[in-house]
Amino acid sequence: MGIIVGLVIAIGCMLGGFVAMGGHLIVIWQPWEFVIIGGMAAGTFVIANPMKTVVDSGKATMEAFSGKGPKRQDFLSLLGLLHALLREIKTKPRNEVETHFDDPANSEIFKNYPTVTKDQGLVLFICDYCRLILIGGARSHEIEALMEEEIGTHKKYALKPYAAINTVAEALPALGIVAAVLGIVKAMGALDQSPQILGGLIGAALVGTFFGVFASYGVLAPLAIKVKGVREKQCSVYTIVKQSLIAYMNGALPQVAIEHGRKGIAAADRPTIDEVEAATVPGAQASAAA
């Protein structure tokens, strides 16, 4: 919604100001200039990126428009799940606890937190490192380094759409100049025409420069920043898991361990201690979902 509102403000003020200065909107409507710039931008985007990144960029753009990222309740559910799992690890024999990590789809604990289990990558991350805790013998600093490496790799690929979109945004002003040059070449072929016709052709050429700069700094660059913010927020759940599990490995009780994870949540989305305590009471999450 924020993207749409921002575009309405930017385009409205731009066109409104142009009209207020006495400009005519019909002059800006140069569809073939837009085809040249848009086509070159799309072509270079496809050339520069593997198809997986192209598809993921479309997905990331939709996520940016919808603001699809973990919300306060999602963080609360994650903390509740981690507390339940750590409590199981602490109080029950290894053979009983392992069943949760071997088959999380059929685990009663995981079933109580459907908002978390929708992210299969996150579930796999949790299960892998909880297994290492169960095996024992691993030193917490070694596991932490391994987690950070995996999180870094995950974040690198999650942010590929941001880099791809931002690269096109940086290229658009130059692509606009290409379109403008082609327009000038066309205008040079009409030097024998009247000043009115020649002026119209030159004006149409300059629209290419205008559109390239506006599309870059007014649309794609802000969109890329939005994509980056949403994807970084999605990746933050892995850091919460890391902080909670490492705290537990260092001797913290489950309730204290998830407090380490809670502190890694941005203040605007961070649940209070009371909310976390309510969510970690056995059966509370299932009752809330019902």
Side-chain angles (χ1 to χ4, degrees), residues 14-234:
M14 177 192 67
L15 297 180
F18 179 69
V19 172
M21 290 189 301
H24 301 285
L25 291 180
I26 191 62
V27 176
I28 298 179
W29 179 244
Q30 301 295 335
W32 294 116
E33 293 280 331
F34 305 152
V35 169
I36 292 171
I37 298 171
M40 286 191 297
T44 53
F45 182 77
V46 173
I47 292 171
N49 300 285
M51 190 52 62
K52 184 176 181 180
T53 301
V54 173
V55 174
D56 195 31
S57 296
K59 179 182 177 184
T61 299
M62 296 305 297
E63 291 173 351
F65 271 92
S66 62
K68 186 180 179 182
K71 304 294 191 296
R72 187 186 189 91
Q73 187 58 44
D74 298 319
F75 289 123
L76 193 59
S77 295
L78 176 59
L79 294 174
L81 172 62
L82 291 173
H83 180 269
L85 293 174
L86 293 177
R87 191 176 63 242
E88 289 282 302
I89 293 172
K90 186 174 181 63
T91 60
K92 293 189 177 179
R94 173 177 169 178
N95 62 326
E96 291 185 23
V97 181
E98 278 183 333
T99 58
H100 296 297
F101 308 125
D102 293 337
D103 189 12
N106 293 315
S107 164
E108 291 302 320
I109 292 179
F110 279 97
K111 285 181 180 178
N112 286 334
Y113 301 90
T115 58
V116 179
T117 55
K118 287 189 298 184
D119 188 342
Q120 291 300 310
L122 179 60
V123 171
L124 183 61
F125 183 83
I126 293 171
C127 291
D128 284 347
Y129 290 102
C130 283
R131 284 194 189 97
L132 291 178
I133 293 175
L134 279 176
I135 292 172
R139 288 174 289 190
S140 62
H141 69 274
E142 294 176 342
I143 299 300
E144 184 174 12
L146 184 60
M147 284 181 165
E148 288 178 351
E149 183 177 351
E150 183 173 352
I151 292 171
T153 300
H154 177 80
K155 189 173 181 179
K156 173 185 175 182
Y157 284 95
L159 292 180
K160 277 186 176 293
Y162 157 72
I165 296 172
N166 195 55
T167 299
V168 175
E170 291 175 349
L172 270 172
L175 297 180
I177 292 174
V178 171
V181 169
L182 291 175
I184 293 296
V185 169
K186 178 185 175 182
M188 290 300 99
L191 286 176
D192 58 340
Q193 301 295 317
S194 67
Q196 183 178 3
I197 295 176
L198 186 60
L201 292 174
I202 294 174
L206 293 177
V207 168
T209 303
F210 148 74
F211 182 70
V213 173
F214 174 76
S216 173
Y217 297 109
V219 180
L220 281 194
L223 176 62
I225 295 297
K226 183 70 172 181
V227 166
K228 182 181 180 182
V230 170
R231 284 294 172 91
E232 285 182 336
K233 190 174 182 181
Q234 292 174 354

Side-chain angles (χ1 to χ4, degrees), residues 243-262:
Q243 291 174 328
S244 299
L245 295 186
I246 294 302
Y248 179 79
M249 292 185 72
N250 287 331
L253 295 172
Q255 191 68 40
V256 177
I258 64 170
E259 180 64 14
H260 283 252
R262 188 182 76 89

Side-chain angles (χ1 to χ4, degrees), residues 266-285:
D269 298 308
R270 184 189 302 156
T272 64
I273 294 179
D274 292 338
E275 289 174 327
V276 174
E277 287 182 351
T280 53
V281 173
Q285 182 71 16

